Amino acid sequence: MSKWNIKGQYMETCSCEFICPCITSNLSAEPSEGVCKAAIALHIDEGSKDGTDLAGISFVIVLESPGPMDQGNIRAGLIIDSGASDAQADAISQIATGAVGGPMEALVPLVGEVVGVERCSVSYEQDDMKATVKAGDLVDHVAEGIPSVSREGKPVMLTNTSHPVSPDLAIARATKSKFNVFGIDWSDATGTRNGHFSTFSWAN
C-alpha cells in the first residue's frame, strides 16, 4: 500500500444543534435534526504521497447521514481545490476516501454511496479561535471557538474523542453553515449549530 503523510488544519460545521451528539456518543446518537449534514474541510500544511507534494492543498468532504452515523448508509462527496494538479487531486481523492488506509479507512463501511468529486477554488483561514472556509459557491462556513477561561485566547477543547479527523477538537459554534452540493443542502446562520476545528496529522 502507498506510503503517505499529511498534516495541517481542519474545521467543520454540521446541521446538529450545539454540541453535536455524535461526539459525546461515539457516533451512536440520533442527530438532533434526525439527519446529519456536515462539511468537513482540511488544509494540508505539509505532506506527500508517493513523491507527490501535497502542501498547500485544501479539500472538503460533504456528507449526509440518514440517522446515527454508526448505522451507516452515509452519502459522501469530495471537493478538491482547483489549484491542485491532477496528480495531487488523485492523491487527495485516495486519502480522503480511505482507499490507501489512514483514518478515513475506518469510515468506509459506513459510507453507502460516494456521490461525486467536484473541483473549485477553496479558501481556508484558521487561527486560535476561528476557522473560515469557502469552496466556490458550494460551501461557505465559519466556526468560532468557545473561549477558555483557563487559557486566554484559546478555545475550550474536547479530548480523546472518536472523531476520525482528530481526537482533540475545539468546541465551536457554526456562525455560518451553508452548503449545497451533491444533493446535500443546508443553510443556517443562527449560531445555534455545531462546529469544530483543530490541527490534524494523518499517515499510513
Side-chain angles (χ1 to χ4, degrees):
M1 184 172 285
S2 298
K3 292 295 183 182
W4 57 269
N5 65 89
I6 56 174
K7 59 177 62 177
Q9 304 169 78
Y10 133 82
M11 71 88 74
E12 72 172 278
T13 67
C14 75
S15 58
C16 285
E17 295 176 353
F18 177 86
I19 294 173
C20 178
C22 292
I23 297 299
T24 55
S25 68
N26 294 322
L27 307 182
S28 65
E30 187 79 16
S32 58
E33 297 298 313
V35 173
C36 180
K37 302 177 182 182
I40 300 169
L42 298 96
H43 176 78
I44 302 171
D45 290 324
E46 58 181 278
S48 64
K49 177 184 177 295
D50 298 331
T52 298
D53 184 14
L54 301 176
I57 305 301
S58 298
F59 61 97
V60 185
I61 300 166
V62 181
L63 61 84
E64 181 178 58
S65 178
M69 286 196 171
D70 69 350
Q71 294 183 13
N73 296 316
I74 295 171
R75 300 173 65 244
L78 177 64
I79 302 168
I80 302 174
D81 189 354
S82 55
S85 68
D86 289 345
Q88 289 173 322
D90 181 62
I92 293 298
S93 181
Q94 293 183 55
I95 291 170
T97 60
V100 288
M104 299 308 287
E105 184 179 30
L107 291 184
V108 170
L110 303 180
V111 176
E113 181 183 6
V114 176
V115 290
V117 178
E118 292 280 352
R119 299 287 300 274
C120 68
S121 176
V122 181
S123 63
Y124 194 114
E125 298 179 10
Q126 185 173 322
D127 58 27
D128 286 342
M129 290 299 298
K130 183 178 179 180
T132 303
V133 172
K134 188 170 184 179
D137 296 326
L138 306 179
V139 176
D140 187 3
H141 59 166
V142 181
E144 297 189 13
I146 303 301
S148 169
V149 296
S150 60
R151 296 187 65 197
E152 185 176 355
K154 302 291 185 179
V156 177
M157 299 291 294
L158 287 167
T159 62
N160 301 322
T161 74
S162 60
H163 198 287
V165 177
S166 172
D168 303 322
L169 311 169
I171 300 176
R173 293 185 183 276
T175 54
K176 180 189 289 186
S177 181
K178 182 178 181 181
F179 38 95
N180 188 356
V181 60
F182 309 123
I184 303 171
D185 187 12
W186 173 254
S187 182
D188 183 89
T190 64
T192 62
R193 302 295 162 167
N194 192 71
H196 295 297
F197 55 86
S198 183
T199 57
F200 77 95
S201 180
W202 293 358
N204 184 60

